[in-house]
Amino acid sequence: MKIILMLAGVLLGIALGLATRIDKPRPRWWQTVVLLLLALTLVLAIVPPIAGSFADVVMMDRAYKGRAIPVKIHYAEPASSVYDENTRQYLVRMQDFSPRRNTVTVRISRPELALFDERDVVVAMVRRGASDTEYEMLEVLYTNPLLTLPYIPGLEERARNLFLHVPMSWTAVIAFCMSMIYALRYLRTKDMRYDVFSAATAEVGLLFTVLATTTGMVWATFDWGTPWNWDPRQTSIFLLLLIYGAYFALRSSIDQPEKRASLGAVYAILSFVTVPFLMFVMPRLMQGLHPGSAGSGSAGPVLSQQADSFDPVKQVIFSLSLAAFIALYFWLLSLLVRFRLVDRSVQIRLQELA
Amino acid sequence: MEFLSNNALYVVLIIALMVFGGVGIILVSLERRLSKLQAKVEREFSEKG
């Protein structure tokens, strides 16, 4: 299901991007759809509260004694509260929204209990009590939230970066793949337009690689201690930036357009051969800090196939984000290609007049 | 990092939407200017053969 939704996001983005020709102006409806998609992604990445389950509370309690985390819960049995005179709290049977639907006893003080009724779903700060079946509610954060995002231990609120960092890096891979496709088309047809397409898509791909690296560094600062750790994933991205940086150095060092296009096309094809290895293979073969590294025990919150890692809300927002960033890539590509084509037409005209 | 649980959420959201709005305005503006330029270049070059 995860793979199908991710594939749907990628296909939606590509379909939107290729809905009109790359070298033609983007229609008004297209611009509106892409801007709305981007705005929707941004709002959905920031607004929904993050809420976990009682199992997450136990996990965090083992790591940080007495740590409270937001949990999405509701009454397990209506009117089940019992008043404890010693602690002056109510003991309420409450159920979380994990796949196992765990039911436990939660201690709640009167002011908090007054904030919701028996049919409400609440997101509340909860910490573990004396045992795994007894908890304490500290604060009600939201009542009946429309959407919630899953709590990912270790990431918590930073999990929202998932909807920026991962789609940006996948978009970069698509951009480099497109660069190779246009390079192949150039070598087959010798049409200079494909050379312009190939160089422009590599430029936009490089932009998305820099954005993915920057958003990854924000994560690394909080989770790994420093922005740059020479983790295998960071090293592979650095190598990728060097490879495509060299591509532009090569292009700028050749004056003859045909020679530049041919050498650039061969280099773009050879560069893309390294992309799957640097992005998907090498970081998974070596031990590192990034999710999905060898020995980490998990493919990470995006690719993990464990049943409890699937959350429909998270997955739909992720797919929308993928579609939005891929469509944005096509928009930037179209702008850059058209600018280069106009520039090229003017240069040719000036040469003819000279 | 529970900052998004309180009013700071709205600050983050407003800043994000402002940045996004800025990028959107630049893109739409570039799109309009480039479309005009592209049409002008194509028209003038075709007129002059």
Side-chain angles (χ1 to χ4, degrees):
Chain A
M1 192 63 185
K2 239 181 184 183
I3 302 290
I4 293 169
L5 280 171
M6 283 191 281
L7 204 61
V10 172
L11 291 177
L12 176 63
I14 293 176
L16 259 177
L18 297 175
T20 56
R21 278 179 55 176
I22 298 289
D23 55 351
K24 294 287 172 203
R26 303 265 124 176
R28 191 57 60 88
W29 69 264
W30 193 93
Q31 297 173 36
T32 312
V33 168
V34 174
L35 287 176
L36 283 177
L37 200 57
L38 278 163
L40 184 68
T41 301
L42 199 65
V43 170
L44 289 176
I46 294 175
V47 173
I50 285 179
S53 63
F54 293 119
D56 295 322
V57 178
V58 173
M59 193 187 288
M60 292 308 284
D61 185 73
R62 280 185 195 140
Y64 311 95
K65 192 72 187 158
R67 172 92 176 258
I69 68 161
V71 180
K72 187 178 172 184
I73 43 179
H74 68 116
Y75 272 86
E77 299 148 23
S80 65
S81 60
V82 175
Y83 187 64
D84 181 355
E85 294 215 348
N86 295 328
T87 58
R88 294 187 177 180
Q89 285 179 316
Y90 289 87
L91 300 174
V92 185
R93 296 288 289 164
M94 301 211 80
Q95 194 176 53
D96 66 12
F97 286 82
S98 64
R100 288 179 194 161
R101 292 281 191 272
N102 290 319
T103 302
V104 299
T105 302
V106 182
R107 289 182 172 275
I108 310 173
S109 59
R110 185 189 283 272
E112 295 300 318
L113 198 63
L115 291 174
F116 60 98
D117 68 29
E118 290 175 1
R119 278 170 294 178
D120 284 339
V121 172
V122 292
V123 173
M125 292 301 283
V126 173
R127 75 175 169 208
R128 187 174 172 271
S131 70
D132 285 355
T133 54
E134 198 184 310
Y135 296 79
E136 187 183 358
M137 182 189 288
L138 303 179
E139 184 190 0
V140 173
L141 300 174
Y142 299 96
T143 308
N144 297 318
L146 201 59
L147 295 170
T148 55
L149 291 171
Y151 184 88
I152 303 172
L155 290 183
E156 296 142 45
E157 291 290 345
R158 298 186 294 281
R160 297 174 197 278
N161 194 7
L162 202 72
F163 306 118
L164 301 176
H165 174 68
V166 186
M168 279 172 181
S169 57
W170 289 15
T171 305
V173 174
I174 290 172
F176 293 139
C177 178
M178 292 290 285
S179 175
M180 182 197 67
I181 292 169
Y182 286 130
L184 283 168
R185 290 179 84 167
Y186 169 77
L187 290 178
R188 218 171 53 188
T189 61
K190 293 288 174 189
D191 182 346
M192 286 300 279
R193 293 166 69 85
Y194 290 126
D195 174 57
V196 173
F197 285 20
S198 180
T201 183
E203 270 180 69
V204 183
L206 205 60
L207 171 73
F208 274 95
T209 311
V210 171
L211 287 173
T213 309
T214 313
T215 47
M217 281 162 73
V218 172
W219 244 342
T221 305
F222 292 100
D223 284 80
W224 304 344
T226 55
W228 199 265
N229 310 65
W230 292 108
D231 175 78
R233 177 74 68 170
Q234 290 182 321
T235 311
S236 64
I237 281 284
F238 180 70
L239 287 175
L240 203 64
L241 288 170
L242 282 183
I243 288 170
Y244 277 93
Y247 169 69
F248 294 111
L250 173 76
R251 288 184 67 89
S252 63
S253 67
I254 304 168
D255 290 332
Q256 288 170 283
E258 282 77 22
K259 195 176 173 188
R260 180 174 60 218
S262 299
L263 277 174
V266 172
Y267 189 94
I269 294 163
L270 290 176
S271 300
F272 186 72
V273 173
T274 66
V275 173
F277 178 75
L278 289 173
M279 295 285 267
F280 303 112
V281 180
M282 188 193 121
R284 291 184 188 279
L285 287 178
M286 297 174 75
Q287 291 208 334
L289 298 161
H290 197 279
S293 305
S296 69
S298 161
V302 177
L303 293 173
S304 173
Q305 290 300 310
Q306 290 169 335
D308 59 349
S309 77
F310 178 77
D311 180 272
V313 175
K314 180 187 85 177
Q315 218 55 49
V316 168
I317 299 174
F318 182 78
S319 295
L320 281 176
S321 179
L322 264 176
F325 279 109
I326 293 170
L328 178 65
Y329 148 71
F330 277 104
W331 196 351
L332 292 172
L333 174 66
S334 168
L335 286 169
L336 200 56
V337 159
R338 280 152 53 205
F339 175 74
R340 293 276 152 77
L341 288 176
V342 167
D343 185 49
R344 195 168 149 268
S345 307
V346 174
Q347 294 297 332
I348 291 171
R349 191 73 188 176
L350 285 173
Q351 279 173 6
E352 284 171 1
L353 291 172
Chain B
M1 287 300 285
E2 307 300 342
F3 69 93
L4 291 182
S5 305
N6 54 39
N7 287 341
L9 166 71
Y10 298 104
V11 177
V12 172
L13 186 64
I14 288 166
I15 292 171
L17 285 174
M18 276 168 72
V19 171
F20 161 76
V23 172
I25 289 167
I26 291 169
L27 282 174
V28 172
S29 159
L30 273 175
E31 180 69 43
R32 214 174 56 191
R33 282 161 189 249
L34 201 54
S35 301
K36 279 183 187 170
L37 183 68
Q38 207 174 1
K40 193 177 173 184
V41 168
E42 280 173 15
R43 195 175 54 242
E44 296 219 347
F45 286 3
S46 63
E47 274 173 11
K48 291 169 185 171

